[in-house]
Structure formats: structure tokens, C-alpha cells
Amino acid sequence: MTARLLDGKALAEKIQDRLKVEIAELQPDRGRAPGLAVLMVGDNPASAAYVRNKERACERLGMVSFGQHLPATATQAELTAIIHQLNADPNVDGILVQLPLPEGLDGNALLLEIDPDKDADGLHPANLGRLVRGEPCLRSCTPAGVMEILRDGGIDPAGKKAVVVGRSILVGKPIALMLLEANATVTIAHSRTPDLAAVCREADILVAAVGRPLMIGPDYIKPGATVIDVGINRITDQTGKGKLVGDVDFDRLLDVAGAITPVPGGVGPMTVTMLLANTVESYRRRLA
Ligand SMILES: Nc1nc(=O)c2c([nH]1)NC[C@@H]1CN(c3ccc(C(=O)N[C@@H](CCC(=O)O)C(=O)O)cc3)C=[N+]21
Ligand SMILES: [Mg+2]
């Protein structure tokens, strides 16, 4: 038996098409399009590519992107002032600071300056706190994307055993909270978990968010389990060519898993889509 493919890229396109229609419907009443401000500092090539993707997606959906590209020499005070300006700008619905920041800048401190109601990344402590409390909030994008993939795949976490490998504040912790909210029994495992493979083999839903290429092999999987790969690792293959792989050894899991996300084309495209969805949600609320 071959695992069912959970196609995040196709789902992302479907959701983006819906957002485009929604924006076109809302805009005449509101007199302006939703606006997303992406603050990028320095010239990390991977970040530049991600930011370009986000800006292109904005345009495609009929949103306005307010790109703010600053040199790596920008100061914390300058960046803080820009965020305050964007907070006050009535045309801006979403603000995000592209991570990682160059050496010497404090991303966490900047995050605290973003108006929580414009926090398109859902990473402000106010939004994470609302998530813990089970209140409505802007939800961090990768975890929200994972929940959409499960929903679209007809996989209801209720009553299932979910294991999340990785405990970052960006991914592991919020995903665990969202799965819990969806009535899964949730275990958060990590690098210090003894016999990690055995813990993972208990999972009906396994979420891998460790950042170690191809770490999760068949010995980590209960036959028929759903496997969600959050890893995005750039490796060099035997021929010296660069290649994008997840934390999951996809090829070797195809015969074991019941359903699985690929990399690329799985969780990654959903992360960007949830960023756009959060911005539209913020636009909707702001003008309600
Ligand atoms: N403030 C902030 N928010 C973020 O959400 C954020 C960030 N900073 N910094 C960097 C990471 C990384 N990230 C990805 C988003 C989409 C893909 C994605 O779409 N990946 C494609 C492949 C893209 C490729 O080929 O490189 C895929 O998986 O199919 C990957 C990675 C968001 N991040
Ligand atoms: Mg860890």
C-alpha cells in the first residue's frame, strides 16, 4: 500500500483562490485593498527569495505589499520606529519581520512592538497567550497550515494520539496546542526524549519539526499513521546538487505511512498562504 499524498501546494492554491474572491468582494465597500508590510533587514539570499514570494503572492491576490528593505546596518531603534509607523498606518493590516535578522538585532524585542492585531505571523506573545487560552487570535502560520492540511485531508485529530517532535515557539509548541484544541491526545517529544522512535511509533498523527534532514525513518512510524513534515532543509546530494528535503525520509515512508506531506509542496506553501489569510482576516476585522 502506498501512502496518500497530502498536497499542500494544491491546497494553498485553492485557499489563495478563495482569498482572491473574498478580497475582490470586500474591497468596493472598504475602499482599499488589504495591505501586508514585510520588513526585511540585510541581504540573506534565502530571506530575499521568501520575501519576493510573499510579495508576488500579495499581488496575485489583489493585496498591497509594503516592502521595507533595510541594510544590515539598520539599528534596533530605526526598526522599532518603522514598526510603530506601520502600526499607525491605516492601510496596513499585517506586519511581519522576516527572520532571521542580521547579527546584533533583537528579533524578539521587535516582535513585541508589533500591534498584536496586525501580527500576521501570529508570533506576538499576546497572540500566543490567546492560543493557550483557547481564544480567537491571529494564529502562527506554519501550525495553522498544518491544521488546514489535516482538515482538507479528512483527518480529524479528535481521539487520536498525536506526537509532535520539536518544541520551538515557532512551530512545535503552537502545533501541539492546536492539536490539543482539536481533541487529540498530544505528546511533545524532542532531542532529549528517550527512545524517540518508540514514542513516535505510538502516533496516529506524527508532526516532525526538528530541522534535521531525513531523520524520521520507517522505524518511527506506526503503519497507517499520518505524517506531517514541517522540515525545510537544504542539502547537497551525492552528485553535488543542492536539494530541498524535510525531516522525514519520505521515500522510505511511502510503504508505511497512511498519509504524508511531501517536501517541497507540503507544509511550506501553506505557511505563506496562512500569512495571507491572517492579513485578510485582520483587514476584515479592522473594517468590520
Ligand atoms: N517572520 C517570518 N515568518 C516566517 O514564516 C518565516 C520567516 N520569518 N523566516 C523564514 C521561515 C521559512 N519559511 C518558509 C515559508 C515557505 C516555504 C515554502 O514555501 N517552501 C516551498 C519550497 C520553496 C523553495 O524551493 O525554497 C515548499 O516547501 O514547497 C519555506 C519556508 C517561512 N519563514
Ligand atoms: Mg529540539
Side-chain angles (χ1 to χ4, degrees):
M1 205 192 72
T2 280
R4 179 159 62 101
L5 197 70
L6 299 171
D7 187 341
K9 186 157 186 275
L11 178 58
E13 280 165 16
K14 195 166 82 180
I15 294 175
Q16 289 191 24
D17 286 347
R18 275 208 301 265
L19 288 172
K20 187 173 174 171
V21 171
E22 199 180 322
I23 291 166
E25 282 170 0
L26 288 169
Q27 189 167 343
D29 271 4
R30 321 255 161 157
R32 68 175 183 87
L36 173 65
V38 179
L39 193 52
M40 157 147 179
V41 189
D43 41 30
N44 178 319
S47 291
Y50 287 137
V51 168
R52 263 198 312 278
N53 273 345
K54 288 168 185 172
E55 291 175 345
R56 265 203 298 264
C58 275
E59 276 166 38
R60 217 169 38 239
L61 267 58
M63 299 171 56
V64 181
S65 75
F66 301 93
Q68 296 264 4
H69 298 188
L70 286 108
T73 51
T75 65
Q76 190 82 18
E78 280 166 348
L79 295 171
T80 303
I82 289 174
I83 289 175
H84 290 168
Q85 242 168 46
L86 295 168
N87 284 344
D89 186 335
N91 293 317
V92 172
D93 302 290
I95 302 170
L96 93 98
V97 178
Q98 185 68 25
L99 302 171
L101 288 170
E103 203 68 23
L105 292 169
D106 181 349
N108 252 334
L110 283 182
L111 205 56
L112 281 172
E113 301 298 331
I114 296 176
D115 176 349
D117 293 331
K118 294 189 176 187
D119 172 30
D121 257 336
L123 298 179
H124 189 287
N127 282 316
L128 292 169
R130 289 172 191 151
L131 179 65
V132 172
R133 295 172 61 105
E135 296 168 2
C137 61
L138 291 171
R139 307 189 141 218
S140 42
C141 300
T142 299
V146 168
M147 297 308 289
E148 288 295 325
I149 287 173
L150 292 174
R151 196 158 64 131
D152 184 69
I155 298 155
D156 181 0
K160 300 219 169 68
K161 179 132 207 253
V163 175
V164 179
V165 192
R167 52 179 155 175
S168 74
I169 195 65
L170 287 175
V171 180
K173 280 182 197 170
I175 285 183
L177 288 166
M178 289 180 200
L179 287 165
L180 182 63
E181 182 183 51
N183 299 310
T185 301
V186 182
T187 300
I188 306 180
H190 46 80
S191 48
R192 305 251 204 124
T193 300
D195 204 351
L196 181 59
V199 172
C200 291
R201 272 198 307 275
E202 305 249 300
D204 302 306
I205 299 172
L206 181 67
V207 180
V210 263
R212 288 183 51 195
L214 309 177
M215 182 188 122
I216 306 289
D219 50 324
Y220 287 69
I221 307 299
K222 167 154 90 178
T226 296
V227 180
I228 305 289
D229 190 355
V230 181
I232 303 264
N233 309 288
R234 224 164 276 279
I235 63 164
T236 313
D237 69 9
Q238 296 97 321
T239 70
K241 257 185 40 203
K243 186 181 170 195
L244 203 65
V245 299
D247 294 345
V248 165
D249 195 344
F250 181 86
D251 294 343
R252 293 203 298 143
L253 257 53
L254 278 174
D255 293 339
V256 189
I260 188 167
T261 61
V263 175
V267 174
M270 286 302 294
T271 297
V272 178
T273 300
M274 291 300 103
L275 172 75
L276 302 167
N278 276 347
T279 304
V280 173
E281 177 59 26
S282 158
Y283 168 75
R284 189 186 269 289
R285 276 195 223 154
R286 190 164 323 273
L287 296 171

